[in-house]
Amino acid sequence: MSRLVCVSNRISLPRKSAAPGGLAVGILSALKRTGGLWFGWGGETVDTDPGEPDIHIRDGVTYATVDLRKRDFELYYNGYANEVLWPLFHYFLKGMRYSSEQRDAYENVNRSFATKLVPLLEPRDTIWIHDYHLIPMARLLRDAGVKRPIGFFLHIPFPNIEMLRVLPSYAELLRDLTCYDVVGFQTQNDLQAFHSGVEHLFGAEAIKPDGRIRVGERTMRADVFPIGVDVSAVQEEATVALSGDVVRRMTDSLMGRSLMMGVDRLDYSKGLVERFSAYQHFLETYPDNLGNITYIQIAPLSRTDVRAYVDIRQQLEQAAGRTNGRFADTDWTPIRYLNRNFPHATLMGFLRAAKVGIVTPLRDGMNLVAKEFVAAQDATDPGVLILSNLAGAARELGSALLVNPYDSQAVGHAIQAALSMTLTERRERHAAMMQVLKRNDIAAWTRRFVEALEQAPGADPRVRAVGNGH
Ligand code: ADQ
């Protein structure tokens, strides 16, 4: 059996408190299952040359972490990754600030990652690169002589060519994606968007009837691999945490009120400003709920050096303050808005305690919190999920209350519908969603992707069998 090597920009080191983020949750579950190597940035920035990777081994997983130079962190991570690709891929051109200096830093950091990874590779490795920070990796690893199968999974949405074309280096980005053996997307929409780019650049004939893509001498496969959650681990975490101290103190403080819960990284794509305004709309439209509902929004800060994130933070503080100022009573606060981090298990306990889970991103690759909310519920008395139809998860969770996150009136109505839904309907909707979650769980995601990679059209079976060379 080949060894799995995952590469991502940021890696979650054991013993350090986990950085919130779906990518880390997904990769760690994958690697814990199969063992292997996880290579990436360990979260430290330095002034001098970053040097060789640090190696830690824990529970069958080898972690190889590299540092980033401060300047590279600014231009590659804050800059190209999070001020160009992230907003563009989420259709937020307002947040995009392109410079060729950032583009060069992106290429250089990718090259340095590739150079440092190559000596760690073994002859039978299968290499799985994650997310938009590292799109050029396959080209750079191939240039360094790596012949093993290399796959790429995009955790965020992929934009249609009409949006992608805004990027000056869009053709390079598309070419880089075709250097992989397998490219995976969260949803059919993202795959179609990728096809629109391939067709634009290489012509419709590059996409074969069986879905494979042929560019010059290379054949690759692009497909949909919706990421899932570890359903039984979430259930276990949620049940244990519910009777733990932190969750108990929170539920006691509700004094019998219904809880609506939101958990998101503080990011403009998560639709928090719109959500706060929908909640205000709901309190105005359905005043019977005044004093009877508590909305807790947990939103740990992320990417605090990027300007758009400073702006969104201010807007949210103002919006929460406005709603609380207008509706709060001496013994009731309508919104509790927290910018802090909690252990994953505690979050699952909070989700289980909620009658309503509210997940209304303006655009999202998948959204694992939506899936975790469903998995964390008590099946005999489940809470109701309100889900944006612009999140990838909506393609699978059709039994949630689907809303357009920009329509504050509709989201307000959905909150009311969730609070008044009968037990029978709640159970039916929950059971339907659980079926999907179990079928497409995190193990299925890993298995399907790794199998696709091992059977990829470009992966040379002779190299696989005899394991000669990287
Ligand atoms: P994210 O944008 O980070 O992920 P999401 O999918 O919701 O969004 O994943 C967040 C994860 O972090 C969840 O597992 C959640 O429980 C956890 N988390 C959130 N806040 C936390 C906190 N305070 N403490 C600890 N854990 C916290 C990206 C894409 C998504 C895609 C995922 C996975 O943007 O669209 O679903 O990757 O592919």
Side-chain angles (χ1 to χ4, degrees):
M1 211 187 116
S2 61
R3 181 180 72 152
L4 183 62
V5 175
C6 287
V7 186
S8 63
N9 167 63
R10 183 70 191 267
I11 84 171
S12 250
L13 273 174
R15 279 194 289 273
K16 286 203 172 173
S17 66
L23 181 142
V25 171
I27 299 180
L28 198 58
S29 315
L31 276 174
K32 277 191 173 155
R33 232 162 269 279
T34 57
L37 171 70
W38 189 0
F39 178 97
W41 177 45
E44 302 293 330
T45 52
V46 291
D47 288 316
T48 50
D49 181 45
E52 293 310 306
D54 278 339
I55 310 285
H56 315 254
I57 300 174
R58 177 101 185 262
D59 301 333
V61 179
T62 305
Y63 298 80
T65 61
V66 287
D67 296 337
L68 278 180
R69 267 179 195 273
K70 285 206 168 76
R71 189 183 139 77
D72 285 336
F73 173 74
E74 194 43 52
L75 292 171
Y76 143 82
Y77 180 75
N78 282 338
Y80 199 74
N82 287 326
E83 279 191 329
V84 179
L85 297 182
W86 176 274
L88 176 71
F89 282 28
H90 286 85
Y91 289 73
F92 281 101
L93 288 185
K94 210 172 130 235
M96 178 174 153
R97 280 146 44 113
Y98 178 88
S99 81
S100 53
E101 207 188 359
Q102 293 172 338
R103 172 68 190 88
D104 294 346
Y106 179 76
E107 173 78 11
N108 290 339
V109 170
N110 271 269
R111 177 169 298 111
S112 136
F113 269 37
T115 310
K116 288 175 182 172
L117 175 63
V118 168
L120 304 178
L121 293 177
E122 293 172 3
R124 298 173 69 81
D125 284 348
T126 296
I127 303 160
W128 188 0
I129 312 287
H130 290 261
D131 233 3
Y132 59 102
H133 315 85
L134 301 176
I135 292 171
M137 281 293 277
R139 165 172 51 86
L140 296 164
L141 288 170
R142 295 285 181 231
D143 286 352
V146 175
K147 295 193 174 58
R148 301 293 302 151
I150 310 178
F152 176 82
F153 184 76
L154 184 68
H155 290 256
I156 66 174
F158 192 78
N160 187 277
I161 184 63
E162 279 315 309
M163 176 60 70
L164 187 66
R165 257 166 13 107
V166 168
L167 184 70
S169 49
Y170 79 93
E172 223 175 314
L173 183 145
L174 282 167
R175 270 193 210 99
D176 278 350
L177 282 171
T178 61
C179 290
Y180 287 91
D181 296 298
V182 175
V183 172
F185 298 98
Q186 300 273 28
T187 68
Q188 197 64 34
N189 282 0
D190 303 307
L191 177 63
Q192 275 164 5
F194 177 63
H195 282 166
S196 74
V198 170
E199 195 171 324
H200 169 90
L201 199 62
F202 303 109
E205 62 283 3
I207 305 168
K208 302 296 166 203
D210 63 2
R212 286 179 309 158
I213 291 171
R214 181 121 187 122
V215 175
E217 292 305 301
R218 296 202 73 255
T219 303
M220 50 98 57
R221 178 178 164 200
D223 213 336
V224 178
F225 302 87
I227 194 168
V229 295
D230 185 335
V231 178
S232 48
V234 169
Q235 282 171 334
E236 165 88 16
E237 281 182 339
T239 320
V240 172
L242 195 66
S243 50
D245 200 36
V246 180
V247 179
R248 184 107 55 85
R249 274 194 289 133
M250 184 279 286
T251 47
D252 285 352
S253 77
L254 296 174
M255 316 267 287
R257 296 183 179 104
S258 301
L259 171 65
M260 179 165 85
M261 191 80 213
V263 176
D264 309 76
R265 268 185 315 100
L266 206 168
D267 192 295
Y268 49 84
S269 67
K270 301 294 181 184
L272 293 169
V273 174
E274 292 74 7
R275 193 182 304 170
F276 281 13
S277 122
Y279 182 59
Q280 171 150 342
H281 202 277
F282 157 79
L283 293 175
E284 282 162 1
T285 316
Y286 301 101
D288 286 355
N289 292 291
L290 293 176
N292 296 322
I293 177 169
T294 296
Y295 167 27
I296 299 185
Q297 177 64 52
I298 296 176
L301 305 180
S302 68
R303 304 175 194 167
T304 45
D305 302 329
V306 178
R307 195 165 69 198
Y309 289 73
V310 176
D311 295 346
I312 190 83
R313 195 171 154 190
Q314 273 174 4
Q315 287 178 41
L316 281 170
E317 279 160 14
Q318 284 167 6
R322 257 196 315 273
T323 300
N324 283 339
R326 177 159 163 211
F327 294 102
D329 211 331
T330 46
D331 61 349
W332 174 57
T333 309
I335 304 186
R336 298 187 199 167
Y337 170 52
L338 287 75
N339 286 139
R340 47 166 295 206
N341 250 319
F342 288 90
H344 193 258
T346 308
L347 286 178
M348 298 306 103
F350 289 156
L351 292 180
R352 187 178 178 101
K355 281 216 159 21
V356 182
I358 187 151
V359 182
T360 51
L362 305 179
R363 207 165 276 271
D364 217 329
M366 176 56 65
N367 197 297
L368 290 181
V369 174
K371 292 188 167 183
E372 288 167 343
F373 176 80
V374 175
Q377 295 310 300
D378 171 358
T380 62
D381 185 15
V384 178
L385 175 65
I386 297 176
L387 177 61
S388 161
N389 54 20
L390 299 172
R395 304 278 74 79
E396 292 166 271
L397 302 181
S399 295
L401 289 181
L402 294 181
V403 290
N404 181 319
Y406 291 96
D407 187 345
S408 58
Q409 207 172 355
V411 177
H413 290 323
I415 299 173
Q416 178 64 13
L419 290 170
S420 49
M421 193 180 284
T422 62
L423 177 61
T424 313
E425 185 175 351
R426 283 190 281 127
R427 281 185 179 163
E428 278 169 13
R429 287 176 180 266
H430 179 255
M433 291 192 281
M434 280 301 277
Q435 271 193 355
V436 182
L437 288 198
K438 286 182 181 159
R439 196 170 56 232
N440 282 350
D441 69 357
I442 190 77
W445 176 69
T446 312
R447 195 179 51 245
R448 285 191 58 227
F449 192 92
V450 173
E451 273 172 20
L453 193 47
E454 286 176 345
Q455 292 157 13
D460 182 345
R462 284 165 310 165
V463 177
R464 275 213 308 276
V466 295
N468 58 339
H470 291 308

